[in-house]
Amino acid sequence: MPVSTPYTRFQKTLEEVMQKLKLTPKERAFFAKPQNTYKTEIHIKRDSGKEQAFQAFRIQFNNARGPFKGGIRYHPEANEEEVKALAALMSIKTAVVNIPFGGGKGGVQCNPKELSRKELEAVSRAYVRAMIRHIGADIDCPAPDVNTNPAIMAWMRDEFEKQTHTYSPAMITGKPLSYGGSLGRDTATARGAFFILQEMMDREARDPEELKVAIQGFGNAGATMAHFLHNAGYTVVAVSDSQGGVYSPEGVDPVRIEKYKHKTGQVAGEYCKGSVCDIKRMKLDGVRHVTNEQLLELPCDILIPAALDNVITAKNARKIRAKYILEIANGPTSPEADTILEKKGVKIVPDVLANAGGVTVSYFEWVQGRSGELWTAERVDNELRRIMLDAYKSVQREAHRGNMTYRQAAFAVGIRRMVDAMHARGWL
Ligand code: NAD
């Protein structure tokens, strides 16, 4: 069996959908590989005075519909294959929500936990200098991703403006509010996913008060989603972070969990130190400790992976009890699991649709950066809702018409829009 990588998993759905859409060989060629791959070493001076080199990537998959768009990830295992898959997914995602961008992604192979703030700033500025000819508001607009944040985006914009002697607020998104950021960007991914889930439950006449949700990952996206769901009347039965999680069939309170996480650094930190838990206290509070693997298999209606990729696989797909999976993480479900879950009748809202709220509000930030406008939170929320629901309806129509899963239908909507742009531009 060929080795499964994020890119081979992307290609599996891509191939299925290209066949369904009967793409010509010339059209297919544009999806075979990224348009541009930039790989280089960046060098910084560590606090110790020693010089250190890091591998840095920027991969531009397709810009038929507009400038490349996608985050920059800092991770010890960031590699070309992973960045390529994420760049490809971004191309589909921007097309699914119909915003005028292509797809790209960046990465630096480093462990940010081992870098001081000064070293992190040096890495971020060196990355911009290394990629300066390939990025910019009209060329390729980066954003935060795993282990990067608004502070890093601010250093990057500052470095870009210094190097190019320009005022360029739209060269990067996910910036702090004080330096060109947009209201609503921090909650955008969860907000977008929440709009889609609400619409889906409305259409299926499901009452939030009767629905139980388990969420893997209690970071920016997962924790925000837990609050939205709790406030809307859903019962959040389980949440977790990298150390494991807590489960209560009666529901956990995200506000309390947030406090515990703040106090102890862990979702389950109020009750457990590592795997040793205060069972008596847990019983009193009506909660149980669960591992991340157990969380996925809990009795619930809606499962929300919001942490890592490739967590729902052929190994556990049969044991999943949820009827809906809302993919906030990128690539959480393997193609084999997809097939098993489809047979079980589980409805999956795929990553390229479910988590597209983040890039959509990045687009609003880009628009504000170019126009000098400042949008209100209400305007961001209304526009986000409109775009997410339009995308959801397009995917639903496509799924119905082509007898496809939501993942295939989302790819079909995206691919078709990309191919149309390529024809319009005379590339084909
Ligand atoms: P984050 O770093 O804020 O949070 C990640 C969470 O996952 C943390 O709670 C962490 O403890 C948990 N985690 C880490 N390792 C884990 C493990 N082994 N098992 C279980 N949990 C683990 O990240 P985020 O911004 O919330 O992003 C989460 C996912 O959503 C990622 O896959 C990301 O690519 C995707 N996503 C995020 C955005 C966004 O705007 N934040 C947009 C699109 C997609």
Side-chain angles (χ1 to χ4, degrees):
M1 221 164 82
V3 188
S4 165
T5 71
Y7 196 65
T8 60
R9 294 195 285 274
F10 163 78
Q11 280 176 314
K12 173 96 181 0
T13 311
L14 180 72
E15 185 53 41
E16 284 165 11
V17 177
M18 287 195 304
Q19 274 185 28
K20 280 183 190 275
L21 296 181
K22 300 192 173 54
L23 255 53
T24 66
K26 245 178 131 183
E27 289 167 345
R28 278 170 165 265
F30 275 94
F31 294 92
K33 59 180 175 52
Q35 283 175 226
N36 305 306
T37 298
Y38 303 108
K39 263 188 296 187
T40 187
E41 261 187 4
I42 56 177
H43 297 256
I44 66 152
K45 205 180 213 173
R46 296 292 303 259
D47 293 344
S48 63
K50 252 177 81 181
E51 200 170 277
Q52 189 169 348
F54 299 98
Q55 284 273 328
F57 308 90
R58 186 75 193 166
I59 299 188
Q60 300 175 331
F61 194 80
N62 189 285
N63 67 350
R65 301 182 62 265
F68 301 104
K69 183 94 192 85
I72 302 171
R73 168 172 294 206
Y74 287 0
H75 198 274
E77 277 144 43
N79 61 69
E80 188 176 339
E81 192 71 5
E82 181 189 59
V83 176
K84 186 165 71 170
L86 292 163
L89 278 174
M90 282 305 295
S91 309
I92 305 282
K93 196 181 295 182
T94 53
V96 170
V97 282
N98 213 2
I99 55 178
F101 284 128
K105 204 83 183 187
V108 178
Q109 203 177 78
C110 68
N111 187 350
K113 287 186 188 137
E114 289 171 2
L115 297 174
S116 68
R117 193 177 156 84
K118 195 170 147 222
E119 291 167 337
L120 209 55
E121 178 175 348
V123 166
S124 308
R125 291 185 184 274
Y127 182 88
V128 168
R129 288 195 298 276
M131 301 296 171
I132 199 120
R133 287 189 305 117
H134 315 304
I135 56 178
D138 298 323
I139 306 167
D140 182 348
C141 177
D145 191 68
V146 174
N147 292 329
T148 54
N149 55 31
I152 291 175
M153 300 303 110
W155 291 325
M156 289 187 164
R157 172 181 165 193
D158 184 63
E159 188 65 26
F160 184 87
E161 293 186 334
K162 276 190 180 135
Q163 296 294 329
T164 55
H165 303 282
T166 57
Y167 169 72
S168 306
M171 63 76 50
I172 202 160
T173 59
K175 301 180 294 293
L177 272 176
S178 58
Y179 189 39
S182 174
L183 287 169
R185 177 62 188 87
D186 49 347
T187 52
T189 301
R191 195 82 185 135
F194 177 73
F195 286 145
I196 291 186
L197 186 67
Q198 279 286 74
E199 178 71 13
M200 214 168 156
M201 294 305 108
D202 256 9
R203 282 179 181 229
E204 306 205 356
R206 302 294 307 262
D207 180 359
E209 307 277 340
E210 293 166 3
L211 294 167
K212 298 190 170 201
V213 192
I215 307 176
Q216 184 182 65
F218 201 70
N220 178 307
T224 311
M225 190 66 182
H227 288 294
F228 286 148
L229 292 168
H230 183 73
N231 294 340
Y234 293 81
T235 306
V236 177
V237 291
V239 295
S240 70
D241 58 21
S242 57
Q243 313 291 309
V246 285
Y247 167 61
S248 163
E250 306 310 318
V252 297
D253 176 0
V255 177
R256 258 173 95 178
I257 302 281
E258 189 98 55
K259 273 192 202 142
Y260 296 163
K261 171 111 187 155
H262 193 71
K263 193 168 116 192
T264 64
Q266 284 177 41
V267 158
E270 188 70 3
Y271 308 103
C272 308
K273 277 211 170 74
S275 56
V276 183
C277 300
D278 182 344
I279 306 287
K280 221 164 127 192
R281 254 211 79 202
M282 291 190 107
K283 257 197 179 147
L284 267 176
D285 283 2
V287 300
R288 235 177 68 197
H289 180 263
V290 283
T291 65
N292 268 296
E293 293 71 34
Q294 288 166 337
L295 180 138
L296 298 169
E297 299 166 14
L298 287 173
C300 62
D301 302 286
I302 302 160
L303 176 63
I304 305 186
L308 304 178
D309 73 337
N310 209 27
V311 289
I312 304 173
T313 64
K315 270 194 189 152
N316 59 4
R318 279 182 194 81
K319 296 188 218 145
I320 282 177
R321 292 192 255 179
K323 294 166 205 74
Y324 304 91
I325 297 178
L326 187 66
E327 293 185 342
I328 285 188
N330 281 313
T333 313
S334 76
E336 297 76 25
D338 248 350
T339 311
I340 297 167
L341 292 165
E342 193 198 343
K343 280 191 191 138
K344 277 174 58 137
V346 178
K347 281 199 179 148
I348 304 179
V349 185
D351 48 7
V352 288
L353 173 63
N355 71 27
V359 73
T360 302
V361 177
S362 269
Y363 163 57
F364 301 159
E365 184 177 331
W366 181 80
V367 169
Q368 292 171 76
R370 293 175 73 107
S371 63
E373 279 179 33
L374 293 175
W375 290 18
T376 60
E378 194 186 7
R379 181 167 175 195
V380 169
D381 210 50
N382 288 339
E383 289 292 307
L384 177 63
R385 179 198 295 266
R386 181 183 60 77
I387 289 184
M388 294 306 293
L389 294 188
D390 279 355
Y392 172 65
K393 283 172 199 157
S394 303
V395 170
Q396 223 200 11
R397 259 196 310 272
E398 187 77 36
H400 192 67
R401 196 171 49 200
N403 191 22
M404 296 183 205
T405 63
Y406 277 10
R407 189 183 315 284
Q408 290 168 333
F411 268 59
V413 168
I415 291 170
R416 196 176 286 121
R417 287 181 179 154
M418 288 166 71
V419 169
D420 286 349
M422 290 180 215
H423 279 289
R425 295 180 73 144
W427 291 4
L428 288 164

